[in-house]
Amino acid sequence: MSSGVWSALVVVEPRAGIADPEGRAITDAARHLSLAEDATVVAGRAFRLRLRAATRDEALRQVGALAERLLANPVIQSWRIVELEGVSAPEEPSR
Amino acid sequence: MSSGVWSALVVVEPRAGIADPEGRAITDAARHLSLAEDATVVAGRAFRLRLRAATRDEALRQVGALAERLLANPVIQSWRIVELEGVSAPEEPSR
Amino acid sequence: MSIAVVVFPGTNCEHDVVGAYAELGLRATLVHHRETDLRWAEAIVLPGGFSYGDYLRPGAIARFAPVMRAVVEAAERGAAVLGICNGFQVLCEAGLLPGALQKNAGLRFLCESVDVEVVSDGSVLTQHMQVGERFELPINHFEGNYTVDEATLRLLEEQGRVVLRYVENPNGSMHAIAGVCDPTGRVVGLMPHPERAGGAFGLSEPAQRLLLGLVG
Amino acid sequence: MSIAVVVFPGTNCEHDVVGAYAELGLRATLVHHRETDLRWAEAIVLPGGFSYGDYLRPGAIARFAPVMRAVVEAAERGAAVLGICNGFQVLCEAGLLPGALQKNAGLRFLCESVDVEVVSDGSVLTQHMQVGERFELPINHFEGNYTVDEATLRLLEEQGRVVLRYVENPNGSMHAIAGVCDPTGRVVGLMPHPERAGGAFGLSEPAQRLLLGLVG
């Protein structure tokens, strides 16, 4: 099956209502810095995925499955796909 | 000064050439799952910022300063602004 | 009685568990995370530590280790399963127990002795305990803040599946929960470390009863 | 000799440092992270722990604590400054030392004793040591993998600013670096814990010389 290479950016954030002590600590530090007016920070994770898939839909399905089962814990976190793009060079040898 | 509220998403990733043991561990786990074809994962951080700024340029400047001085360690990490949007309701009372 | 103690890369409390059972006259066997057969085990302990360096989330990667399929099978046939600290996190990530262990409220890695109270004697772990009984157990964690959706929390309380509660909440856990069990009472997760309770003169008496509960 | 030991929220080795200096007949004073005046201090220690719960990156938030401005001023006027473990991470984040401490290569939180070798006697810490001397020090960290750009690495080696090296690299640090200093040799970062070296009979002799180096 001919399939292209896709690059996706998945962002995982604490669900609304779930405490975010790390974000609060970063917010406090940001205020000490006086670099931004009243900035608040929510701390999450970002994952850059590269994978093979025949179509954009198939790539979306694979990224979604990984996000749901591995990258995020749905009890406390939500996830979304921020970027998904086809990467050229489907013929490149696998490393 | 009248200023609007801005929401930004900053992604911090390990610099090219810097070891990413967490990404490698997640990549291994993803392969065990057989959910994605040959997926590789790079692990980074995502930060959702809300701040006040009069203009888009000023918001960009504030977000960039926070990213450079606090959110990322330039020795081992790079950062970029993935999203920046004006949030409505500049009149909302600050919490 | 055959007791298996599962060792993931980064697990570091396995010898404490083996030692504690040895003190109780029982032999526990270390089992590698690549092991796929646990049919011989009547009780399984997932000990504390930093499995897989706590990458991603504590327990998130360990739950995909080959041995976890055997742990799930063992739980299905009624073996007793106890996850301690990082092992509790693994059981939650694996879906054998509900909820998640978040970072502690406040800024501290907690390493101290705390008072806990027995809430239910309906689990294998607490079957020899009295409801309301209080005693000390050590805690040693950064992610021990038990979090679950409101509906499940209500269910846990109604079904008597909250096993132990902190007397003074050290980490922000909902309802000060220190341990929960599955609907059968045979799969238990516990944030404190009974295998480390006591001192130079051996395991404390309540910790002995807890650990003996697992084996009947 | 006035020694200040800085305590951030989450610092947990401050009493080991105070105790170690007490054993050497010296009094060290705990200083709160909100303190702004360190003009009285001739030597300052940033001890290990999990400052601010290691949120963001270890040391990343601690460096914005009010006391850090006083530490920078003290370094500028020539006070001796030693960061141990998490304190080393803080000094790097604050820009007083080059580089960064990444997660250990491999999957483990490291908690063991390792052999180190003195590479330079040009720092306050190692001024009483012999170059090439080897001895044991305990390590206890998850982020101890010293990383720096190639140009700076070359500079550190050429200027004799690598103070200690691991004999066997436990964590993936570039050039097996266990400790570095600034160009003056008066600001030193060290991943191992000299204040915990030794046993029931007290600090080991090399650890004593290291800690005494800081005070002249």
Side-chain angles (χ1 to χ4, degrees), chain B residues 3-37:
Chain B
S3 66
V5 176
W6 299 81
S7 174
L9 182 65
V10 175
V11 166
V12 174
E13 291 181 281
R15 275 191 191 285
I18 293 289
D20 175 27
E22 183 168 29
R24 274 207 310 277
I26 299 169
T27 298
D28 288 346
R31 288 180 184 185
H32 275 292
L33 274 172
S34 313
L35 289 175
E37 274 185 75

Side-chain angles (χ1 to χ4, degrees), chain B residues 18-19 47 69-73, chain D residues 56-57 63-64 93 100 102:
Chain B
I18 293 289
F47 302 97
R69 292 211 39 207
L70 177 60
L71 303 179
N73 180 338
Chain D
L56 193 52
R57 299 175 302 277
R63 78 148 163 139
F64 295 113
E93 286 281 346
Q102 273 204 287

